[in-house]
Amino acid sequence: MKILVLNAGSSSLKYRFFDEMKAVAEGVVEHIGETRGPKDHAEALETAEKSLAKSGALDSFEELDGAGHRVVHGGERFVEPVVIDDEVVKAIHALIPLAPLHNPANLVGIETMRRKVPKLPQVAVFDTAFHQTMKKEAYLYAIPIEFYEKEGVRRYGFHGTSHFYVAKEAAKILGEDMDKTNLITLHLGNGASACAIENGKSVDTSMGFTPLQGLVMGTRSGDVDPEIPLWMAKKGLDADLILNKKSGLKGLCGENDMRLIEKRALCGDEAARDALNVFIHRIRHYVGAYYALLGRVDAIVFTGGIGENSALVRRLVCRSLENLGIAIDAQKNIDNECNIASSKASVPVFVIATNEELEIARQTKTVLEAHLSSSGVKSFKANNFKGEQYGNQSGS
């Protein structure tokens, strides 16, 4: 099956082409709508198609069996990936107030691809879907209940595709069924989040109503006293801009690249050392909380740009946790081995590279094969498929 995975941003389009679940080609089209780039996403898709043809990977989008789209917010309605139709598009549009920076761009990618290849079956894969197994005690905020009932204000969580992917990989390494596995997964990058997974399902996660809550991130504050943005507003400050774009590691030391922060900290830079320590402290806070929540932890998983590459961060997160059965081997950690746990530790500590695009491709394939068997369509090729055979697959 030939699947194109698309991640559309407001001014960029990332794509990766899979043939039988093997990544064959990928690329990114940037500066969309700017003088030096494509005028719109339609032109960006043309650029991507020509690039794939030039590489020999794919002559045209007509050869595709399907397309998978990353969609940041699925709200409570979408708990799994769904085939995209008009009703799904309307539902994603209705969720824009919950993700005003991301869902509009995701929709542009979807609608542009639908116009370009109207008969091609396409699937939406939601960042929030994996966390829809959280119970009310985990997702409700202690604010007047009408804000949840009328406006949907609750914890949703994000990075779900990444947490799900590395959780499955960890279960394979452990030789256990996913639905019998308890994990704490740490997606650490410019955006960062932690997830508590019990019997293969997300039961808590650090991000909340928006991706601002939780761990300290590159430019995002993570957890703060709720009074702080109110205080900022009273001072005439733009709290949204400050907490999302000027806080986190950058706010503490002027830099959001962990590699540079580590170098500065090791050279004695006090601001960089403080930023690193605050970053680590918050992660350890969540590891302890999730350990208590789960009761039994089969493995800790580090992923994301920082989690996969920073031996220092991993060492500092895991220090002095021997009473919890967590200890790492210094050399294995430096060598970036898959399991960096000490031989004396009872809890494996995995370093697993995330692959959200592959996970989106896998979920797209699963959804399309299910509809193939139920609809009697012989082929999902764009030139053979008749869209009306799908009906309304709203995922509600």
Side-chain angles (χ1 to χ4, degrees), residues 101-132:
L101 297 179
H102 296 95
N103 273 30
N106 301 154
L107 273 172
V108 169
I110 288 170
E111 293 175 327
T112 303
M113 191 65 175
R114 291 182 84 199
R115 286 193 296 270
K116 181 170 177 57
V117 197
K119 292 185 178 181
L120 180 69
Q122 301 185 54
V123 173
V125 179
F126 302 90
D127 280 3
T128 51
F130 180 57
H131 302 301
Q132 289 304 299

Side-chain angles (χ1 to χ4, degrees), residues 130-131 159-174 176 178 181-188 193-197 200 299-305 307-308 338 350-360 362-363:
F130 180 57
H131 302 301
H159 289 151
T161 305
S162 176
H163 287 295
F164 183 44
Y165 175 82
V166 298
K168 289 193 297 182
E169 293 300 305
K172 289 179 187 176
I173 298 168
L174 291 168
E176 293 285 350
M178 176 76 166
T181 306
N182 285 12
L183 303 164
I184 298 174
T185 53
L186 302 170
H187 180 109
L188 307 179
S193 63
C195 184
I197 298 171
I300 306 290
V301 181
F302 286 92
T303 192
E308 295 167 27
C338 178
F350 295 141
V351 180
I352 300 176
T354 192
N355 195 331
E356 293 169 279
E357 291 81 9
L358 175 58
E359 183 58 36
I360 291 171
R362 286 174 174 173
Q363 293 189 32

